[in-house]
Amino acid sequence: MLLLSFFIAIGNLSEKTNEYHKEYYHAGKIKSEGWIKNGIKTGYWRFYHSNGELSEKGHFTNDKRTGYWYFYSEKGKILEEGHYKNGAKSDWWLFYDTFGNVNHKCQLNDGKKNGYCLMYKNNDIVKAEKYEDGKRIKAWSTFRSFKKENKLSDLR
């Protein structure tokens, strides 16, 4: 019985290593909040601008950004959103203009453009570029010329 109590106590101690953490600006407004386990960020986190507006939100795994993230301006408008893998931007990312419309959409790998970038105007694709490891290798000045050379199913 004493041994069982010891293991229960050890189990309770390990659970306490996972805590909800909040950090504040000097003025007292919240700067960030989220989960810390064994001293590293894990799970869902939110970060704030000094004016109190949400600046970014997403998940951490082992202190690295992972999964889908959102980023906002100090006025609360969405700036960009997309995937993280092992702390680096990857897959498709959407970038917005000051009105909240998609400005461009790019495929990224390890934080660099790698694949297609589609540029938008009034919510329509107007031109495109292709990148390899951050370097532009091809550009199309119209969406029509882009469609002639590429299958739209490749963009998913």
Side-chain angles (χ1 to χ4, degrees), residues 106-109 112-117 130-134:
C106 292
Q107 290 176 304
L108 303 172
N109 184 33
K112 297 178 188 172
K113 291 178 182 178
N114 196 55
Y116 294 105
C117 273
K130 188 169 184 179
Y131 289 81
E132 280 185 13
D133 199 30

Side-chain angles (χ1 to χ4, degrees), residues 44-47 54-59 68-70 72:
Y44 184 69
W45 273 77
R46 289 188 293 203
F47 297 85
L54 184 65
S55 66
E56 57 188 89
K57 63 181 178 178
H59 287 83
Y68 209 82
W69 277 73
Y70 298 88
Y72 302 91

Side-chain angles (χ1 to χ4, degrees), residues 19-110:
E19 63 185 46
Y20 199 75
H21 175 78
K22 290 185 177 185
E23 186 176 348
Y24 295 89
Y25 288 103
H26 292 293
K29 290 196 177 190
I30 191 157
K31 186 176 187 178
S32 63
E33 61 182 322
W35 291 97
I36 291 182
K37 184 172 185 175
N38 299 325
I40 60 173
K41 290 181 183 94
T42 188
Y44 184 69
W45 273 77
R46 289 188 293 203
F47 297 85
Y48 300 88
H49 293 287
S50 59
N51 67 359
E53 287 287 333
L54 184 65
S55 66
E56 57 188 89
K57 63 181 178 178
H59 287 83
F60 281 90
T61 300
N62 295 324
D63 223 20
K64 292 182 181 178
R65 289 183 174 145
T66 188
Y68 209 82
W69 277 73
Y70 298 88
F71 295 83
Y72 302 91
S73 73
E74 290 183 350
K75 294 183 179 181
K77 296 268 188 182
I78 186 130
L79 295 173
E80 60 186 74
E81 63 180 288
H83 300 272
Y84 274 93
K85 286 185 185 172
N86 295 318
K89 291 179 178 182
S90 65
D91 299 325
W92 281 103
W93 272 76
L94 298 170
F95 301 88
Y96 295 86
D97 64 19
T98 55
F99 302 106
N101 299 314
V102 174
N103 182 20
H104 61 286
K105 173 180 172 178
C106 292
Q107 290 176 304
L108 303 172
N109 184 33
D110 204 21

